[in-house]
Amino acid sequence: MTGRKIRNMEEFAEVSGISRPTVSKYFNDPDSVRKSTRARIESALEQYDYRPNIFAINQNRKLTKNIGIVVPYLADPFFAEIARNLEMLVIAAGYHPILLSSHGSTAQENDNFESLRAIKPAGALLAPLGRASDKAAVERFCKAVPSVLFDSHISGMGEAFVGHDNIQATKLICEYLCRTGQPPAFFEMRTPTNPNAYRRRNAYCEAMERMGHPVHLLQAEGGGWDFEKIGLEGGTKVIEEHSLPTDTILCSNDRLAIGFLAAAYQKGLRVGLGAGAALRVAGHDDHPFSRYTCPPLTTVSQDYTAIAERSVERLFSLVESGERAENRDEIFFEGKLVMRQSA
Amino acid sequence: MTGRKIRNMEEFAEVSGISRPTVSKYFNDPDSVRKSTRARIESALEQYDYRPNIFAINQNRKLTKNIGIVVPYLADPFFAEIARNLEMLVIAAGYHPILLSSHGSTAQENDNFESLRAIKPAGALLAPLGRASDKAAVERFCKAVPSVLFDSHISGMGEAFVGHDNIQATKLICEYLCRTGQPPAFFEMRTPTNPNAYRRRNAYCEAMERMGHPVHLLQAEGGGWDFEKIGLEGGTKVIEEHSLPTDTILCSNDRLAIGFLAAAYQKGLRVGLGAGAALRVAGHDDHPFSRYTCPPLTTVSQDYTAIAERSVERLFSLVESGERAENRDEIFFEGKLVMRQSA
DNA sequence: TTTTAAATTTTACCCCCGTAAAGTTTTTGA
DNA sequence: TCAAAAACTTTACGGGGGTAAAATTTAAAA
């Protein structure tokens, strides 16, 4: 780090003794220039502190190295965790992740789409809000930017969808619960925020009918993203009303289950498998905190890593081929049973 | 949305019948042009879909409307929640937040600083890793970009620090615990990831000495950001070794407490206040999930909202004056006791 | 050594907008 | 109504770099 300040590529080309277009070529792909040229540039790089201006670069490219990541609610540890995985994969691929949270708001989601389009991303990984999404806005965005949807499925949008197999996973835990005790009732939000919830509800109903057990839906009121709160309040209500039709509760997701466990605890109902237990409670997702509940939550896992990896992989195959997918594929990863002490 | 496609400001100026420099002026401040001119531009804006190219804008400004937000670990709901608050305040102020997580890694933190500097942000809100931070890198960044530090304090860096009063808050809960039962032992990580932990440890020691109670530090092994795991394992260990010197445990933060509660539960130790309880456990932070633990966690809150608001306020007073602070101020918000059922 | 292909340089133009300077029009206020 | 002030237009330049085309050099192959 010596010598004069370098203001632009012109000056850097000068001090490194190479022409500017070749320097430009180097920065776009160091392997595209002769080895000896590369060496000269890199030795100049050690002497002088220079890097190309990102705005000037992006202005001249139709596409940038930016990859947008949009999640519906980043303060939900599930999305935080999957976003973390996605970011790291995108970085590893030499791209630049731009992480945006819609904070549960349709307006914010639309703003995020606009912000993203303004920076001409090479592609985007989207988990839309779902029910609350402005479908037309999602569609416009996907048309303009190669996108892979993950977690929340909106039919027909994006070049691909990568997500969790809600149906298989729900059936799996239903079967486990039926095999090991009373058939479960299903605890959920009456009007779920997340579209996966509908698939889980349907899968539960189907599974129970197939096994010849009664279907019991326990529906909590409330909207938004404060699932634990809804679980706690809804859980308290069903317990107080003695409206539990069975001793086994399958919650639509782990966050609801965490709330429900709190409700059970506060009402003095012991949850677990042993003789002294009054209730079995299971969740869905293998949420980062589900192993720390009391008792530890039995659940079905989502394969976070696989979903993140495949989403990124699928997106880059689009981005790097420069083509749009001829046929939209949908990839589902199976859930695994995570047996802990709550059910 | 009719008419031909507009490619740039030149063309837009043409169709709106105004000169390009005036149009440019309008986009920088709609109030800086005559009312009638503004009306003509805005009616053209309704007919034609045009917005200025963000890269070209930023290339020509020394400063952008970008505000960097760097947090050490976004998958920690505490940071997710505070980032959410910060983002919304920054947006409300008409700026553009760029949220970056260091994912607990020094290298990533430094990369984040570089990425941010590359986009010439008007300012930055930083919560450094702390102990793991590359101090020189933080200092360089703060010298180059007006920055307000929050949550984790590194002395002398940034134009201001806004955070939680760890000392007051720790003393508050110590006094509460001593007043209502046995004096607490302090459960923490031996080598804490977060710098606040050291202040809490010291405040605990001081408070106990001042009140004439013995100081007991229970130190869990392990590093990183998986605090619940450390709390569970460390808690299991101290319980198994019968090395609990008192029936009251004050955890250095809520996430450790969540782990500790799980340990107690799994070891059959009933936590709470009543007669049947073997243990009291308290935390620190009022973590988003602390109200859903079993039993609900007694803790001291951090004033998330105030910290976020003041940080943003302080940063914009710098940004908009265009000056650097003559004297660095440090603002601490007091914690409040949150009494729930665990202690 | 010659031929050929590949890499580089030169030249030139483009991207899209900020902004300063000078000249022109419109608005304001007395 | 008229001069001063304000707003606008025209003109011109600059920012930092992508990229195409033609000319030149270098390296590899025959």
Side-chain angles (χ1 to χ4, degrees), chain A residues 8-9 20 24 50 52-53 56-57 59-60:
Chain A
N8 54 36
M9 194 180 278
R20 190 179 67 75
S24 168
Y50 167 74
N53 179 303
I57 292 174
Q59 181 177 17
N60 289 307

Side-chain angles (χ1 to χ4, degrees), chain A residues 149-151 161-165 302 307 311 331-334:
Chain A
L149 265 61
F150 67 95
D151 185 67
F161 171 78
V162 180
H164 172 61
D165 190 341
Q302 286 205 42
I307 292 173
S311 304
I331 304 158
F332 297 93
F333 288 96
E334 294 200 345

Side-chain angles (χ1 to χ4, degrees), chain A residues 106-120:
Chain A
T106 310
Q108 184 65 54
E109 183 170 273
N110 288 352
D111 283 355
N112 287 345
F113 291 152
E114 286 218 17
S115 305
L116 271 187
R117 289 185 59 172
I119 59 170
K120 296 186 282 191

Side-chain angles (χ1 to χ4, degrees), chain A residues 136-301:
Chain A
V138 178
E139 192 159 19
R140 271 198 306 277
F141 182 85
C142 291
K143 207 163 278 173
V145 178
S147 302
V148 169
L149 265 61
F150 67 95
D151 185 67
S152 89
H153 192 182
I154 302 188
S155 74
M157 299 198 188
E159 311 291 305
F161 171 78
V162 180
H164 172 61
D165 190 341
N166 288 294
I167 300 180
Q168 169 270 339
T170 304
K171 289 190 172 163
L172 182 63
I173 191 138
C174 283
E175 280 160 14
Y176 164 77
L177 292 172
C178 292
R179 195 168 64 234
T180 54
Q182 290 183 24
F186 192 69
F187 180 69
E188 61 168 354
M189 289 165 69
R190 184 181 304 283
T191 52
T193 302
N194 189 295
N196 290 315
Y198 293 101
R199 291 188 193 88
R200 293 179 186 180
R201 175 195 296 170
N202 292 340
Y204 160 80
C205 295
E206 272 181 35
M208 298 306 279
E209 279 163 10
R210 192 170 48 74
M211 290 185 280
H213 297 306
V215 166
H216 295 293
L217 297 180
L218 304 171
Q219 298 187 316
E221 304 302 329
W225 287 85
D226 210 348
F227 298 165
E228 292 84 3
K229 185 173 181 224
I230 292 168
L232 172 58
E233 290 172 358
T236 303
K237 197 163 166 224
V238 292
I239 294 170
E240 279 177 349
E241 290 170 352
H242 303 289
S243 48
L244 289 181
T246 143
D247 74 356
T248 302
I249 310 295
L250 172 59
C251 300
S252 179
N253 64 62
D254 283 355
R255 294 185 60 195
L256 279 176
I258 289 170
F260 194 94
L261 284 178
Y265 185 92
Q266 288 170 35
K267 287 291 163 191
L269 258 47
R270 191 176 163 80
V271 173
L273 294 169
L279 223 51
R280 296 192 304 162
V281 175
H284 195 147
D285 283 338
D286 198 20
H287 184 285
F289 289 1
S290 61
R291 69 182 63 224
Y292 304 108
T293 56
C294 300
L297 190 64
T298 289
T299 185
V300 250
S301 65

Side-chain angles (χ1 to χ4, degrees), chain B residues 25-26 28-35 38 42:
Chain B
K25 207 151 167 262
Y26 165 83
N28 283 316
D29 177 10
D31 281 322
S32 69
V33 304
R34 200 151 39 205
K35 270 211 307 279
R38 177 170 179 172
E42 289 176 348

